[in-house]
């Protein structure tokens, strides 16, 4: 069974970080999320992939290539214009197997795929939607199901006391190719808002099953941070290339640490990082490969992508820095999200 990864969206809610980067290529624990995703699905037994791309496709293609570096096969379905989550699946139709998995590539998860596929085979419908339960369903499309799991309707953004359940679409589906006959070609179509409701109306069998394992949509800056803190707290267990020193501190290769540096766990330090004397790093800091941190710097609840420079006595709290950014000596930044070409967003 092939997996189709939807990776073409603009990622507007994660700007400015996604101004010049496909959202699924944003690093999670110092490694592009798409790489973690491929390797997770490979561990789940999938080794043939189609990636649906549009926003900066060359960044994904240059990094993942034909997949051989990761021991998998990758083909690309490229869109000329944004086709939406269903239009992108239709555009990839000729590359897909009769039954296939679809994954929103911006969902950080460690979901077991086999139970979804087994359930799908058993109910004989055209679609199985992986569902996750949320505390407050009022921001989501919530499903109403029969006792045997068939979805009878989606209720968009229900008031809390009117929600038929707390189960929402987790962005992971098993589908039969037959279902694609209901999606028009070369047209922007949303699977959540248009295709699934249509398939329910046509009574072709749209079922839902609760997924197990860690799940988080990284679509906003706040949730992107949360994914990292969960990773450091080992609420999710993606393999990290850095070595854990046994106390919530992970350190990469060729790292130079000045005298008197204090790590307040949890902390993740990438490869070839230099940290000047008496800096205090953490709690909750992720420092990308090739970063240089000056002396007496304070850095907490912050994520720095690769090759950033933070000069002496600067202070960073609750920030996200894109690749290759520099913070001047003694500067203080709180809750800033920055990207080199796309400027600064405070808050
Ligand atoms: P926002 O602009 O912040 O809503 O982000 P998004 O549109 O990139 O992501 P959204 O959560 O809406 O979409 C879920 C997944 O589908 C993401 O992995 C997107 O990359 C992907 N996606 C969304 N629209 C398209 C599209 O038109 N084409 C392709 N190929 N993928 C898409």
């Amino acid at each position: 069974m092939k997996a189709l990864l939807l990776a073409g969206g603009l990622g507007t809610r994660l700007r400015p970080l996604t101004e010049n980067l496909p959202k699924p290529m944003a690093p999670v624990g110092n490694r592009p999320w798409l790489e973690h995703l491929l390797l997770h699905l490979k561990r789940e037994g999938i080794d043939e992939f189609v990636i649906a791309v549009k926003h900066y496709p060359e960044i994904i293609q240059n990094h993942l290539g034909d997949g051989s570096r990761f021991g998998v096969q990758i083909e690309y379905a490229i869109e000329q214009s944004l086709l939406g989550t269903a239009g992108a699946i239709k555009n990839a139709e000729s590359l897909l197997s009769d039954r296939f998995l679809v994954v929103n590539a911006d969902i950080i998860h460690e979901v077991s795929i086999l139970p979804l596929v087994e359930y799908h085979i058993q109910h004989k419908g055209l679609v199985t939607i992986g569902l996750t339960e949320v505390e407050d369903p009022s921001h989501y499309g919530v499903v109403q199901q029969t006792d045997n799991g068939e979805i009878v309707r989606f209720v968009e953004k229900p008031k809390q006391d009117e929600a038929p359940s707390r189960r929402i679409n987790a962005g992971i589906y098993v589908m039969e190719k037959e279902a694609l006959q209901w999606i028009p070609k070369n047209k922007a179509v949303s699977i959540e808002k248009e295709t699934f409701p249509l398939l329910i109306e046509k009574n072709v069998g749209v079922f839902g099953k609760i997924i197990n394992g860690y799940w988080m949509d990284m679509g906003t800056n706040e949730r992107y941070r949360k994914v990292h803190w969960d990773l450091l707290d080992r609420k999710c267990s993606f393999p990290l290339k850095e070595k854990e020193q046994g106390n919530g501190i992970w350190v990469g290769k060729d790292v130079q640490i000045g005298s008197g540096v204090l790590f307040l766990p949890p902390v993740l330090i990438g490869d070839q990082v230099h940290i000047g004397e008496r800096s205090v790093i953490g709690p909750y800091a992720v420092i990308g490969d090739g970063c240089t941190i000056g002396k007496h710097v304070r850095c907490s609840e912050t994520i720095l992508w690769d090759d950033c420079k933070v000069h002496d006595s600067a202070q960073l709290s609750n920030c996200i820095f894109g690749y290759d950014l520099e913070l001047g000596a003694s500067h203080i930044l709180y809750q800033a999200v920055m990207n080199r070409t796309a400027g600064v967003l405070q808050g």
Side-chain angles (χ1 to χ4, degrees):
M1 192 176 72
K2 285 190 179 181
L4 172 64
L5 310 182
L6 297 179
L10 299 179
T12 48
R13 290 164 300 152
L14 200 58
R15 283 180 184 162
L17 298 168
T18 44
E19 208 65 69
N20 47 13
L21 188 79
K23 181 170 37 167
M25 286 298 286
V28 168
N30 289 342
R31 188 180 218 180
W33 165 246
L34 258 180
E35 221 183 285
H36 284 290
L37 179 58
L38 275 186
L39 295 173
H40 167 66
L41 291 175
K42 187 181 169 197
R43 288 191 291 273
E44 290 292 307
I46 294 170
D47 55 12
E48 287 182 83
F49 294 87
V50 179
I51 308 187
V53 290
K54 165 68 179 82
H55 183 56
Y56 290 97
E58 67 284 359
I59 295 182
I60 295 179
Q61 289 171 302
N62 290 343
H63 189 79
L64 299 179
D66 64 3
S68 47
R69 193 157 68 92
F70 304 96
V72 299
Q73 277 178 34
I74 303 177
E75 292 173 285
Y76 295 91
I78 304 170
E79 288 150 54
Q80 300 311 317
S81 61
L82 273 183
L83 291 176
T85 39
I89 302 175
K90 184 71 178 174
N91 186 55
E93 187 169 7
S94 64
L95 301 175
L96 297 171
S97 43
D98 287 345
R99 177 175 297 144
F100 56 94
L101 183 76
V102 179
V103 179
N104 283 359
D106 63 340
I107 301 291
I108 311 299
H109 71 92
E110 290 183 300
V111 169
S112 311
I113 302 302
L114 193 58
L116 276 184
V117 177
E118 283 174 347
Y119 176 67
H120 180 82
I121 292 170
Q122 180 201 319
H123 68 60
K124 298 191 171 67
L126 294 193
V127 180
T128 301
I129 302 179
L131 303 173
T132 187
E133 249 172 355
V134 290
E135 281 298 309
D136 175 8
S138 60
H139 302 293
Y140 300 93
V142 180
V143 299
Q144 183 175 339
Q145 290 174 280
T146 61
D147 288 347
N148 67 351
E150 185 157 8
I151 297 176
V152 289
R153 67 175 181 137
F154 286 89
V155 183
E156 272 304 314
K157 301 194 172 76
K159 291 190 187 131
Q160 200 147 21
D161 48 352
E162 290 168 12
S165 73
R166 292 191 291 114
R167 296 175 171 198
I168 64 161
N169 174 354
I172 301 171
Y173 325 118
V174 183
M175 291 180 83
E176 298 296 311
K177 214 173 186 179
E178 233 182 295
L180 303 190
Q181 65 182 290
W182 305 102
I183 306 174
K185 266 189 184 163
N186 301 322
K187 196 169 170 255
V189 184
S190 157
I191 199 155
E192 303 85 352
K193 297 198 178 89
E194 297 170 78
T195 308
F196 287 152
L198 179 67
L199 293 178
I200 290 168
E201 194 188 305
K202 299 288 175 192
N203 206 19
V204 299
V206 177
F207 287 72
K209 181 172 171 55
I210 285 280
I211 52 167
N212 55 20
Y214 182 84
W215 183 94
M216 173 76 73
D217 165 9
M218 71 148 145
T220 63
N221 291 320
E222 193 187 317
R223 288 206 293 265
Y224 180 71
R225 282 193 187 94
K226 176 81 170 87
V227 164
H228 279 86
W229 310 159
D230 285 350
L231 185 70
L232 293 182
D233 287 335
R234 297 320 265 158
K235 288 182 187 162
C236 49
S237 54
F238 302 109
L240 298 169
K241 65 178 168 54
E242 293 80 358
K243 279 219 169 83
E244 190 177 11
Q245 312 206 320
N247 46 3
I249 297 170
W250 286 263
V251 180
K253 294 186 195 122
D254 305 323
V255 171
Q256 289 179 22
I257 301 171
S259 63
V261 167
L262 186 59
F263 287 143
L264 300 175
V267 167
L268 173 65
I269 312 287
D271 299 335
Q272 282 110 31
V273 170
H274 294 224
I275 304 179
E277 62 193 51
R278 296 189 184 283
S279 286
V280 181
I281 311 295
Y284 297 101
V286 175
I287 311 291
D289 294 348
C291 286
T292 305
I293 312 277
K295 302 174 194 167
H296 302 278
V297 167
R298 300 204 58 137
C299 176
S300 63
E301 294 181 84
T302 285
I303 301 158
L304 304 182
W305 293 5
D306 296 351
D307 301 317
C308 290
K309 284 191 183 57
V310 179
H311 289 275
D312 296 352
S313 305
Q315 295 185 29
L316 284 155
S317 169
N318 236 292
C319 296
I320 310 173
F321 269 28
Y323 295 117
D324 197 23
L325 283 175
E326 195 159 346
L327 183 66
S330 304
H331 278 58
I332 299 177
L333 267 187
Y334 175 66
Q335 281 199 343
V337 180
M338 300 174 69
N339 180 352
R340 175 167 273 280
T341 53
V344 185
L345 182 92
Q346 292 272 2

